[in-house]
Amino acid sequence: MFKIFKVVGTSMSPTFMPGDLILSCSFFKSFITKNSVVIFFDKYYSYVIKRVLFKNNEHLSLKNDNPGTYSHFCEKTLHIKKIEYIALFKFKIKYLRFFLSLLKIKY
């Protein structure tokens, strides 16, 4: 399944800025490697996006791209089964609006 997420925080900047859209999918999770960008669900924070720092057969260690931010998700390992999506593509909403206007598609 494909899903689009809108970035709202700064922990992954400059790679992902607030307002960026991320196209992700749930069926490429077996291809997760070091430096993959993954998305998981947390009951307090909703969906969370992080980069894989380390992976073994069962667990992942995660990191932010922004060294100036803190995330408690980066302090502990996460079971690989908690990963719901892997990020495939990032696009900025302003470019999407421009592209849709060229195609004369209403959004």
Side-chain angles (χ1 to χ4, degrees):
M1 173 172 77
F2 290 97
K3 187 163 184 165
I4 294 176
F5 292 93
K6 184 176 181 180
V7 176
V8 294
T10 60
S11 69
M12 292 298 290
S13 66
T15 309
F16 299 100
M17 301 299 288
D20 287 352
L21 299 175
I22 300 171
L23 176 64
S24 63
C25 74
S26 60
F27 46 82
F28 287 132
K29 293 188 294 184
S30 60
F31 295 104
I32 295 172
T33 61
K34 181 180 177 182
N35 289 320
S36 293
V37 175
V38 295
I39 301 164
F40 61 96
F41 185 79
D42 179 77
K43 63 183 176 181
Y44 298 109
Y45 294 96
S46 188
Y47 286 99
V48 178
I49 179 171
K50 296 293 174 201
R51 187 172 302 279
V52 175
L53 179 63
F54 172 80
K55 176 190 177 235
N56 64 24
N57 291 337
E58 293 185 16
H59 293 92
L60 301 169
S61 293
L62 305 172
K63 69 175 187 170
N64 294 334
D65 282 359
N66 184 347
T69 60
Y70 166 80
S71 173
H72 71 274
F73 297 110
C74 299
E75 294 179 345
K76 55 188 174 187
T77 59
L78 182 71
H79 198 281
I80 202 159
K81 289 184 179 181
K82 297 273 188 183
I83 301 300
E84 294 190 29
Y85 298 93
I86 184 168
L88 299 177
F89 183 72
K90 164 189 90 163
F91 50 99
K92 299 208 175 277
I93 198 159
K94 67 180 179 179
Y95 298 128
L96 178 62
R97 286 184 179 138
F98 175 74
F99 179 72
L100 293 175
S101 70
L102 290 176
L103 297 174
K104 300 193 186 316
I105 296 175
K106 303 265 185 208
Y107 50 90

mmCIF file of all heavy atoms in Angstrom, residues 32-36 38 50-63 74 76-80 83:
data_model
loop_
_atom_site.group_PDB
_atom_site.id
_atom_site.type_symbol
_atom_site.label_atom_id
_atom_site.label_comp_id
_atom_site.label_asym_id
_atom_site.label_seq_id
_atom_site.Cartn_x
_atom_site.Cartn_y
_atom_site.Cartn_z
ATOM 1 N N ILE A 32 14.766 -2.623 3.939
ATOM 2 C CA ILE A 32 15.296 -1.627 4.874
ATOM 3 C C ILE A 32 16.768 -1.912 5.133
ATOM 4 O O ILE A 32 17.147 -3.029 5.471
ATOM 5 C CB ILE A 32 14.512 -1.632 6.197
ATOM 6 C CG1 ILE A 32 13.065 -1.180 5.949
ATOM 7 C CG2 ILE A 32 15.194 -0.737 7.229
ATOM 8 C CD1 ILE A 32 12.174 -1.341 7.163
ATOM 9 N N THR A 33 17.582 -0.889 4.955
ATOM 10 C CA THR A 33 19.020 -0.986 5.219
ATOM 11 C C THR A 33 19.447 0.235 6.024
ATOM 12 O O THR A 33 18.648 1.144 6.268
ATOM 13 C CB THR A 33 19.831 -1.020 3.899
ATOM 14 O OG1 THR A 33 19.592 0.192 3.194
ATOM 15 C CG2 THR A 33 19.455 -2.210 3.045
ATOM 16 N N LYS A 34 20.716 0.276 6.371
ATOM 17 C CA LYS A 34 21.269 1.461 7.018
ATOM 18 C C LYS A 34 21.028 2.660 6.104
ATOM 19 O O LYS A 34 21.196 2.575 4.889
ATOM 20 C CB LYS A 34 22.768 1.271 7.269
ATOM 21 C CG LYS A 34 23.410 2.428 7.963
ATOM 22 C CD LYS A 34 24.885 2.190 8.189
ATOM 23 C CE LYS A 34 25.488 3.421 8.835
ATOM 24 N NZ LYS A 34 26.922 3.269 9.034
ATOM 25 N N ASN A 35 20.605 3.774 6.688
ATOM 26 C CA ASN A 35 20.299 5.037 6.009
ATOM 27 C C ASN A 35 18.947 5.067 5.301
ATOM 28 O O ASN A 35 18.607 6.088 4.703
ATOM 29 C CB ASN A 35 21.412 5.474 5.056
ATOM 30 C CG ASN A 35 22.634 5.936 5.807
ATOM 31 O OD1 ASN A 35 22.523 6.602 6.826
ATOM 32 N ND2 ASN A 35 23.805 5.551 5.334
ATOM 33 N N SER A 36 18.181 3.980 5.351
ATOM 34 C CA SER A 36 16.806 4.042 4.844
ATOM 35 C C SER A 36 16.006 4.988 5.720
ATOM 36 O O SER A 36 16.286 5.142 6.912
ATOM 37 C CB SER A 36 16.147 2.663 4.898
ATOM 38 O OG SER A 36 16.731 1.758 4.022
ATOM 39 N N VAL A 38 12.471 5.492 7.405
ATOM 40 C CA VAL A 38 11.332 4.652 7.757
ATOM 41 C C VAL A 38 10.294 5.463 8.530
ATOM 42 O O VAL A 38 10.598 6.499 9.114
ATOM 43 C CB VAL A 38 11.783 3.426 8.590
ATOM 44 C CG1 VAL A 38 12.680 2.527 7.759
ATOM 45 C CG2 VAL A 38 12.481 3.847 9.869
ATOM 46 N N LYS A 50 12.085 8.647 10.705
ATOM 47 C CA LYS A 50 13.484 8.652 11.155
ATOM 48 C C LYS A 50 14.339 7.902 10.147
ATOM 49 O O LYS A 50 13.856 7.145 9.325
ATOM 50 C CB LYS A 50 13.639 7.967 12.522
ATOM 51 C CG LYS A 50 12.918 8.654 13.656
ATOM 52 C CD LYS A 50 13.523 9.998 13.954
ATOM 53 C CE LYS A 50 12.705 10.730 14.997
ATOM 54 N NZ LYS A 50 12.918 12.149 14.968
ATOM 55 N N ARG A 51 15.644 8.102 10.260
ATOM 56 C CA ARG A 51 16.608 7.404 9.419
ATOM 57 C C ARG A 51 17.201 6.228 10.199
ATOM 58 O O ARG A 51 17.425 6.317 11.393
ATOM 59 C CB ARG A 51 17.726 8.366 8.993
ATOM 60 C CG ARG A 51 18.675 7.763 7.980
ATOM 61 C CD ARG A 51 19.643 8.784 7.442
ATOM 62 N NE ARG A 51 18.987 9.917 6.823
ATOM 63 C CZ ARG A 51 18.495 9.925 5.578
ATOM 64 N NH1 ARG A 51 18.550 8.852 4.826
ATOM 65 N NH2 ARG A 51 17.942 11.021 5.088
ATOM 66 N N VAL A 52 17.456 5.129 9.498
ATOM 67 C CA VAL A 52 18.020 3.939 10.136
ATOM 68 C C VAL A 52 19.522 4.140 10.319
ATOM 69 O O VAL A 52 20.241 4.402 9.362
ATOM 70 C CB VAL A 52 17.746 2.672 9.290
ATOM 71 C CG1 VAL A 52 18.442 1.462 9.894
ATOM 72 C CG2 VAL A 52 16.248 2.434 9.158
ATOM 73 N N LEU A 53 19.961 4.027 11.552
ATOM 74 C CA LEU A 53 21.382 4.118 11.892
ATOM 75 C C LEU A 53 22.024 2.739 11.872
ATOM 76 O O LEU A 53 23.142 2.555 11.407
ATOM 77 C CB LEU A 53 21.544 4.757 13.269
ATOM 78 C CG LEU A 53 22.947 4.918 13.810
ATOM 79 C CD1 LEU A 53 23.758 5.860 12.921
ATOM 80 C CD2 LEU A 53 22.896 5.452 15.231
ATOM 81 N N PHE A 54 21.295 1.737 12.374
ATOM 82 C CA PHE A 54 21.804 0.376 12.473
ATOM 83 C C PHE A 54 20.633 -0.586 12.380
ATOM 84 O O PHE A 54 19.544 -0.291 12.873
ATOM 85 C CB PHE A 54 22.526 0.190 13.819
ATOM 86 C CG PHE A 54 22.920 -1.226 14.094
ATOM 87 C CD1 PHE A 54 24.049 -1.768 13.509
ATOM 88 C CD2 PHE A 54 22.152 -2.023 14.930
ATOM 89 C CE1 PHE A 54 24.410 -3.090 13.759
ATOM 90 C CE2 PHE A 54 22.513 -3.333 15.189
ATOM 91 C CZ PHE A 54 23.638 -3.867 14.597
ATOM 92 N N LYS A 55 20.853 -1.733 11.749
ATOM 93 C CA LYS A 55 19.807 -2.747 11.623
ATOM 94 C C LYS A 55 20.406 -4.127 11.820
ATOM 95 O O LYS A 55 21.453 -4.438 11.273
ATOM 96 C CB LYS A 55 19.166 -2.663 10.235
ATOM 97 C CG LYS A 55 18.139 -3.739 9.987
ATOM 98 C CD LYS A 55 17.721 -3.761 8.528
ATOM 99 C CE LYS A 55 16.753 -4.894 8.318
ATOM 100 N NZ LYS A 55 17.104 -5.808 7.302
ATOM 101 N N ASN A 56 19.723 -4.940 12.637
ATOM 102 C CA ASN A 56 20.037 -6.361 12.672
ATOM 103 C C ASN A 56 18.768 -7.111 12.292
ATOM 104 O O ASN A 56 17.831 -6.509 11.779
ATOM 105 C CB ASN A 56 20.626 -6.783 14.027
ATOM 106 C CG ASN A 56 19.663 -6.629 15.182
ATOM 107 O OD1 ASN A 56 18.449 -6.634 15.007
ATOM 108 N ND2 ASN A 56 20.195 -6.494 16.376
ATOM 109 N N ASN A 57 18.688 -8.389 12.562
ATOM 110 C CA ASN A 57 17.530 -9.176 12.116
ATOM 111 C C ASN A 57 16.224 -8.776 12.785
ATOM 112 O O ASN A 57 15.161 -8.982 12.207
ATOM 113 C CB ASN A 57 17.783 -10.660 12.342
ATOM 114 C CG ASN A 57 18.855 -11.196 11.413
ATOM 115 O OD1 ASN A 57 19.106 -10.623 10.364
ATOM 116 N ND2 ASN A 57 19.490 -12.276 11.808
ATOM 117 N N GLU A 58 16.274 -8.225 13.986
ATOM 118 C CA GLU A 58 15.046 -7.937 14.724
ATOM 119 C C GLU A 58 14.852 -6.474 15.114
ATOM 120 O O GLU A 58 13.731 -6.057 15.349
ATOM 121 C CB GLU A 58 14.995 -8.787 15.993
ATOM 122 C CG GLU A 58 14.851 -10.260 15.726
ATOM 123 C CD GLU A 58 14.680 -11.048 17.002
ATOM 124 O OE1 GLU A 58 14.383 -10.457 18.056
ATOM 125 O OE2 GLU A 58 14.844 -12.272 16.940
ATOM 126 N N HIS A 59 15.928 -5.708 15.216
ATOM 127 C CA HIS A 59 15.815 -4.349 15.750
ATOM 128 C C HIS A 59 16.526 -3.323 14.868
ATOM 129 O O HIS A 59 17.443 -3.649 14.125
ATOM 130 C CB HIS A 59 16.395 -4.290 17.163
ATOM 131 C CG HIS A 59 15.604 -5.072 18.136
ATOM 132 N ND1 HIS A 59 15.880 -6.392 18.415
ATOM 133 C CD2 HIS A 59 14.533 -4.739 18.881
ATOM 134 C CE1 HIS A 59 15.022 -6.835 19.306
ATOM 135 N NE2 HIS A 59 14.183 -5.855 19.602
ATOM 136 N N LEU A 60 16.071 -2.081 15.033
ATOM 137 C CA LEU A 60 16.678 -0.941 14.356
ATOM 138 C C LEU A 60 17.096 0.096 15.387
ATOM 139 O O LEU A 60 16.417 0.269 16.403
ATOM 140 C CB LEU A 60 15.661 -0.256 13.437
ATOM 141 C CG LEU A 60 15.011 -1.048 12.326
ATOM 142 C CD1 LEU A 60 13.861 -0.250 11.744
ATOM 143 C CD2 LEU A 60 16.011 -1.380 11.265
ATOM 144 N N SER A 61 18.166 0.791 15.119
ATOM 145 C CA SER A 61 18.505 2.012 15.839
ATOM 146 C C SER A 61 18.231 3.150 14.863
ATOM 147 O O SER A 61 18.562 3.053 13.674
ATOM 148 C CB SER A 61 19.973 2.043 16.253
ATOM 149 O OG SER A 61 20.224 1.061 17.211
ATOM 150 N N LEU A 62 17.637 4.214 15.365
ATOM 151 C CA LEU A 62 17.211 5.310 14.506
ATOM 152 C C LEU A 62 17.949 6.595 14.830
ATOM 153 O O LEU A 62 18.509 6.735 15.919
ATOM 154 C CB LEU A 62 15.699 5.514 14.669
ATOM 155 C CG LEU A 62 14.851 4.283 14.412
ATOM 156 C CD1 LEU A 62 13.401 4.546 14.788
ATOM 157 C CD2 LEU A 62 14.950 3.845 12.972
ATOM 158 N N LYS A 63 17.929 7.544 13.893
ATOM 159 C CA LYS A 63 18.565 8.840 14.131
ATOM 160 C C LYS A 63 17.796 9.936 13.412
ATOM 161 O O LYS A 63 17.040 9.688 12.470
ATOM 162 C CB LYS A 63 20.021 8.827 13.687
ATOM 163 C CG LYS A 63 20.217 8.741 12.189
ATOM 164 C CD LYS A 63 21.694 8.865 11.834
ATOM 165 C CE LYS A 63 21.877 8.940 10.333
ATOM 166 N NZ LYS A 63 23.250 9.292 9.975
ATOM 167 N N CYS A 74 15.476 8.048 19.248
ATOM 168 C CA CYS A 74 16.848 7.761 18.842
ATOM 169 C C CYS A 74 17.692 7.196 19.991
ATOM 170 O O CYS A 74 18.842 6.871 19.789
ATOM 171 C CB CYS A 74 17.498 9.025 18.281
ATOM 172 S SG CYS A 74 16.637 9.650 16.830
ATOM 173 N N LYS A 76 16.737 4.475 21.851
ATOM 174 C CA LYS A 76 16.468 3.063 22.079
ATOM 175 C C LYS A 76 16.270 2.355 20.754
ATOM 176 O O LYS A 76 16.081 2.985 19.717
ATOM 177 C CB LYS A 76 15.236 2.906 22.954
ATOM 178 C CG LYS A 76 14.010 3.616 22.423
ATOM 179 C CD LYS A 76 12.876 3.589 23.410
ATOM 180 C CE LYS A 76 11.737 4.435 22.864
ATOM 181 N NZ LYS A 76 10.670 4.623 23.774
ATOM 182 N N THR A 77 16.311 1.030 20.806
ATOM 183 C CA THR A 77 16.068 0.265 19.593
ATOM 184 C C THR A 77 14.567 0.091 19.387
ATOM 185 O O THR A 77 13.780 0.166 20.328
ATOM 186 C CB THR A 77 16.746 -1.117 19.663
ATOM 187 O OG1 THR A 77 16.236 -1.824 20.780
ATOM 188 C CG2 THR A 77 18.251 -0.982 19.765
ATOM 189 N N LEU A 78 14.209 -0.131 18.155
ATOM 190 C CA LEU A 78 12.816 -0.327 17.777
ATOM 191 C C LEU A 78 12.718 -1.668 17.065
ATOM 192 O O LEU A 78 13.547 -1.964 16.193
ATOM 193 C CB LEU A 78 12.377 0.810 16.844
ATOM 194 C CG LEU A 78 10.945 0.810 16.384
ATOM 195 C CD1 LEU A 78 10.014 1.186 17.551
ATOM 196 C CD2 LEU A 78 10.749 1.793 15.243
ATOM 197 N N HIS A 79 11.731 -2.473 17.445
ATOM 198 C CA HIS A 79 11.558 -3.763 16.773
ATOM 199 C C HIS A 79 11.184 -3.517 15.314
ATOM 200 O O HIS A 79 10.363 -2.651 15.011
ATOM 201 C CB HIS A 79 10.492 -4.600 17.468
ATOM 202 C CG HIS A 79 10.575 -6.046 17.097
ATOM 203 N ND1 HIS A 79 10.086 -6.541 15.911
ATOM 204 C CD2 HIS A 79 11.133 -7.097 17.742
ATOM 205 C CE1 HIS A 79 10.322 -7.833 15.846
ATOM 206 N NE2 HIS A 79 10.954 -8.206 16.953
ATOM 207 N N ILE A 80 11.767 -4.277 14.435
ATOM 208 C CA ILE A 80 11.579 -4.058 13.001
ATOM 209 C C ILE A 80 10.117 -4.225 12.583
ATOM 210 O O ILE A 80 9.660 -3.619 11.614
ATOM 211 C CB ILE A 80 12.519 -4.972 12.178
ATOM 212 C CG1 ILE A 80 12.720 -4.406 10.794
ATOM 213 C CG2 ILE A 80 12.040 -6.397 12.160
ATOM 214 C CD1 ILE A 80 13.953 -4.893 10.103
ATOM 215 N N ILE A 83 7.913 -0.996 12.129
ATOM 216 C CA ILE A 83 8.018 -0.153 10.938
ATOM 217 C C ILE A 83 6.814 -0.422 10.042
ATOM 218 O O ILE A 83 6.536 -1.565 9.688
ATOM 219 C CB ILE A 83 9.329 -0.425 10.170
ATOM 220 C CG1 ILE A 83 10.535 -0.158 11.063
ATOM 221 C CG2 ILE A 83 9.391 0.395 8.883
ATOM 222 C CD1 ILE A 83 10.644 1.247 11.583
#
